[in-house]
Amino acid sequence: MKDKLSYEEKRELPDDVFGLPDRREYPMPDATHVRAAEAYFRYCPEDLKPRLAKAIMRRAAEFGVDVKSPTIEKYASM
């Protein structure tokens, strides 16, 4: 999968690959997008950060991505 998803590609993804599935935000269909979600984590609304952090950690484990952000690790443990 390429780095940038088109609207059509994003629309076809299942809900479970999104960091915030109810909002269909932070798609993570592959390792590249897990890293992108990590990079864009700071833009997530504060009240949603624990959910997103847990999703990033889960998807990172699936793709063998090493999450380098101590902030994400902190939110994931909440």
Side-chain angles (χ1 to χ4, degrees):
M1 186 162 274
K2 60 188 188 291
D3 292 350
K4 181 81 171 164
L5 294 171
S6 71
Y7 171 77
E8 190 64 32
E9 290 168 328
K10 187 177 175 183
R11 195 170 64 92
E12 291 176 4
L13 292 174
D15 289 344
D16 65 344
V17 302
F18 288 88
L20 300 173
D22 52 323
R23 297 167 63 125
R24 293 191 60 83
E25 293 178 348
Y26 299 94
M28 295 181 277
D30 54 34
T32 299
H33 287 88
V34 171
R35 289 185 197 96
E38 182 180 3
Y40 286 97
F41 180 79
R42 67 183 174 270
Y43 298 111
C44 180
E46 189 66 31
D47 61 320
L48 300 176
K49 283 184 176 182
R51 282 182 36 212
L52 178 56
K54 289 173 185 161
I56 289 171
M57 296 300 286
R58 184 177 62 253
R59 296 295 285 175
E62 289 176 25
F63 291 112
V65 173
D66 182 29
V67 175
K68 299 181 186 330
S69 169
T71 303
I72 291 175
E73 291 174 349
K74 179 186 85 168
Y75 277 100
S77 67
M78 295 179 139

